[in-house]
Amino acid sequence: MDFVNLNYFIETYENRSVTAASARLHISEQGLSKAIRALEREWDFPLFIRRKNRLSPTPFGDAFYVQAKHLMEEYEKSCHILEKAKAENSVLHIGFGSCVLPALNLEKLISEYEKSNPDIRIQLQSEADYSCEQMLENGKLDVIFCMEPSSGHDFCCQLVAEEIIYALLPKNHRFSERSRLTMKDLADIPLISASSENKAYSHLLEDFREIQIEPKVVFQSDDPLTHLKMVRNNMGIALIPAHWLPLFTGEEDVVSIEVSDIKKRKIYMVVEKARSQNPVITDFGRFIKSLNIETIG
């Protein structure tokens, strides 16, 4: 028994007429009669007594109608629930930690993914690194792109890109003619860094402390223009990610120099292991993995 024939029976029962029911169902009278006969053969009992142009349900037909209505209602409820679940699972919530979105040019990549996957809706959200990670853990985000996630969480991580760190300094600074700088060069020099909500800040502290230097961070900001203004006013040297460099092209009063021994800023795609088998997340992960890992800067 299929639900199409069940629906045909219900319409026939309620209209007491093959002609009227077939008109409502937009099928031929022959096709509807064939469906009713198939149900009668399946149950080995007549559903209707046929009298000229009128049908009268048999006692079995009356009982069958009650159950058929119940089954159709449950079927429609199930379809609604499943369609809703399908729609919800077709939305991919992607979070980006500080400065990640412009670093990877992911807007273009995600646009390409959406074109080849028109049934998937993508919602983007930018958050501070630690908030981004917490939202992934709480199920508010499906995928995040961020610097290396905290240990102790059950995450699957895929390295996407590495980014060189540069020092932005005034053109009249004594280091401005150098081709490269080291962390030791920056000891005791006022530094302008990423904010403490950004993992770049904690990684910066770790890198300096590994060589037993306590960096002199005088200001924190995730805004490139703030870094530029402070450098111009000789308030310190800014430590910036490579993807910021094009923003300072043409600025004649500042220079950027690679800091050779600061570890590259590593950007990962991160998902929870428990949700990594979700087909939408899995497919998006394959798309990202198909991209080559690059070094920015």
Side-chain angles (χ1 to χ4, degrees), residues 183-188 205 207-216:
M183 287 186 284
K184 286 185 178 179
D185 292 326
L186 301 177
D188 297 322
L205 295 184
D207 287 346
F208 273 94
R209 287 168 181 170
E210 279 184 10
I211 60 170
Q212 299 181 330
I213 293 176
E214 189 65 32
K216 189 179 178 181

Side-chain angles (χ1 to χ4, degrees), residues 7 28 31 39 54 69 71 93 116 136 142 161 187 192 224 235 244-245 247 290 293:
N7 187 48
S28 68
L39 283 172
R54 191 75 178 162
K69 284 288 284 187
L71 286 171
H93 299 271
S116 59
L136 177 66
D142 300 310
I192 303 150
M235 298 179 71
W244 282 13
L245 295 179
L247 300 175
S290 69
I293 296 172

Side-chain angles (χ1 to χ4, degrees), residues 26-269:
H26 304 290
I27 64 170
S28 68
E29 291 184 32
Q30 292 84 353
L32 180 55
S33 295
K34 183 178 179 181
I36 298 300
R37 286 196 297 272
L39 283 172
E40 289 178 324
R41 283 197 301 273
E42 183 176 350
W43 289 98
D44 194 25
F45 209 95
L47 296 169
F48 298 101
I49 298 172
R50 294 156 179 84
R51 296 191 178 94
K52 295 184 180 180
N53 294 327
R54 191 75 178 162
L55 296 178
S56 297
T58 64
F60 181 79
D62 287 329
F64 190 74
Y65 171 76
V66 173
Q67 297 305 313
K69 284 288 284 187
H70 175 72
L71 286 171
M72 283 302 297
E73 288 171 1
E74 291 301 314
Y75 173 70
E76 288 169 0
K77 284 180 186 177
S78 297
C79 287
H80 176 72
I81 291 169
L82 292 173
E83 285 297 330
K84 184 179 179 183
K86 181 180 177 182
E88 288 174 351
N89 283 318
S90 296
V91 179
L92 196 58
H93 299 271
I94 302 177
F96 297 91
S98 303
C99 302
V100 168
L101 192 63
L104 299 178
N105 196 21
L106 279 171
E107 306 98 317
K108 181 179 178 181
L109 296 176
I110 288 172
S111 177
E112 291 175 2
Y113 180 79
E114 287 182 308
K115 286 178 183 177
S116 59
N117 296 272
D119 295 333
I120 306 299
R121 291 188 297 115
I122 291 182
Q123 293 185 356
L124 304 180
Q125 193 164 340
S126 181
E127 299 284 341
D129 286 339
Y130 296 105
S131 296
C132 205
E133 191 174 310
Q134 188 174 25
M135 290 177 74
L136 177 66
E137 197 175 354
N138 294 338
K140 294 180 180 178
L141 292 172
D142 300 310
V143 180
I144 63 172
F145 290 86
C146 66
M147 295 184 69
E148 188 171 2
S150 303
S151 59
H153 297 309
D154 213 10
F155 292 146
C156 293
C157 305
Q158 170 69 33
L159 183 62
V160 176
E162 297 181 325
E163 186 168 27
I164 295 170
I165 301 300
Y166 286 79
L168 185 73
L169 56 156
K171 197 168 186 178
N172 59 6
H173 196 280
R174 70 179 190 273
F175 291 152
S176 63
E177 299 298 323
R178 300 270 292 272
S179 59
R180 290 193 176 187
L181 293 174
T182 66
M183 287 186 284
K184 286 185 178 179
D185 292 326
L186 301 177
D188 297 322
I189 289 180
L191 299 177
I192 303 150
S193 76
S195 73
S196 57
E197 293 182 347
N198 185 327
K199 289 184 181 179
Y201 176 76
S202 60
H203 285 215
L204 171 70
L205 295 184
E206 289 172 8
D207 287 346
F208 273 94
R209 287 168 181 170
E210 279 184 10
I211 60 170
Q212 299 181 330
I213 293 176
E214 189 65 32
K216 189 179 178 181
V217 178
V218 294
F219 195 80
Q220 301 173 26
S221 173
D222 293 324
D223 175 34
L225 293 181
T226 300
H227 282 244
L228 177 61
K229 288 177 182 178
M230 296 195 74
V231 169
R232 276 177 169 165
N233 288 308
N234 293 301
M235 298 179 71
I237 290 178
L239 296 176
I240 63 170
H243 76 272
W244 282 13
L245 295 179
L247 300 175
F248 307 132
T249 301
E251 301 292 344
E252 297 181 356
D253 52 349
V254 296
V255 295
S256 55
I257 303 172
E258 179 183 343
V259 184
S260 59
D261 54 349
I262 287 185
K263 293 173 185 173
K264 291 177 183 176
R265 179 175 182 251
K266 294 184 178 182
I267 301 173
Y268 293 82
M269 181 189 75

